[in-house]
Amino acid sequence: MKKIFLGPPGSGKGTYSSRISSFWKIPHISTGDLFRAHLKNQTEIGKQIKEFMNSGNLVPDTITIEMLKNRISQNDCKKGFILDGFPRTIPQAEELAKITDIDVVINLNLSNEILIKKACARRVCQDCGDIYSTIEINQGEIKMPGMFPKEEGKCDKCHGELMQRKDDNEATVKERLETFKNQTAPLIDFYKNNGLLKDIQVKYNPTKMVSEILQAIKSLAEKYELSIDYEK
Ligand code: AMP
């Protein structure tokens, strides 16, 4: 099962990918996380990408595609994978199509106003990457409870320190939303045209959203007669 999560920053790609990755026991590959690891480890790639990431711009396709190809060629990806944050440009999607088939694309939708609030309230465990949210959204039909840690500033899973990402501030999130509109949104039509895309409106807590996403995957799979194992 090869799946892509498409959606603007703060829409929940990381949270849902991680839960569905545990459900299906296939790797969750976030190009953002891979890049952040390069920054943390001060690798050669880390030096090349720092300015792009800190300013909310995309890392050049050549670097991104090479890194992604290396990752999905690894053994743990043989049964499938979930891509979170890749592809983000048409050339990336075209390169991906040359090396693998994709079964389903989940396109997450949420208003920019809420996305900015959510991204600025995101906290991430610097050891295991678990994601938390310090705000509750209750706006019309959108009811998303906060995802607060049990102990302030500490990860529930591994007790690591919770941090705010450098690019999760209002100015950079606005820049990232602009980048999404100009460079990533064209992928919606790209995947819609080949019938793989399912639109999902983000509205509820992660548990309810994950069950809606799994249901959407199931209906697409039935439509295209994909063989997918739904058992845990
Ligand atoms: P994310 O964690 O997905 O929000 O990504 C954080 C940042 O990493 C983005 O704002 C980009 O600078 C960079 N990045 C992640 N994925 C890609 C990609 N597929 N193409 C280019 N840049 C990326």
Side-chain angles (χ1 to χ4, degrees), residues 26-73:
I26 51 175
H28 162 205
I29 301 173
S30 152
T31 39
D33 285 349
L34 294 175
F35 282 139
R36 278 183 287 278
H38 278 290
L39 284 181
K40 195 172 169 188
N41 299 326
Q42 299 182 354
T43 64
E44 203 40 55
I45 291 183
K47 288 179 200 150
Q48 293 170 36
I49 64 175
K50 194 171 175 185
E51 286 313 311
F52 296 105
M53 290 194 64
N54 289 346
S55 60
N57 288 308
L58 294 185
V59 171
D61 282 340
T62 43
I63 301 176
T64 309
I65 291 165
E66 186 61 23
M67 180 180 74
L68 192 275
K69 276 185 180 171
N70 282 338
R71 179 63 189 90
I72 64 175
S73 66

Side-chain angles (χ1 to χ4, degrees), residues 8 25 33 45 92 144 148 153 165 167 188-189 197 204:
K25 297 187 175 42
D33 285 349
I45 291 183
Q92 289 181 14
M144 304 169 76
F148 302 98
R165 275 170 44 176
D167 57 352
I188 297 171
D189 280 339
L197 186 127
Y204 312 115

Side-chain angles (χ1 to χ4, degrees), residues 5-16 106-111 114-115 118 137 139-145 147 198-206 208-210 212-213:
F5 270 91
L6 203 61
S11 56
K13 297 188 296 294
T15 302
Y16 309 141
I106 297 294
N107 181 40
L108 301 172
N109 294 282
L110 196 56
S111 75
I114 297 180
L115 288 168
K118 275 190 78 237
I137 309 273
Q139 230 167 285
E141 58 166 359
I142 307 203
K143 300 198 186 316
M144 304 169 76
M147 296 192 289
K198 187 77 190 172
D199 275 305
I200 297 277
Q201 175 65 47
V202 178
K203 285 191 210 170
Y204 312 115
N205 64 56
K208 226 169 154 182
M209 289 310 304
V210 165
E212 191 174 324
I213 291 166

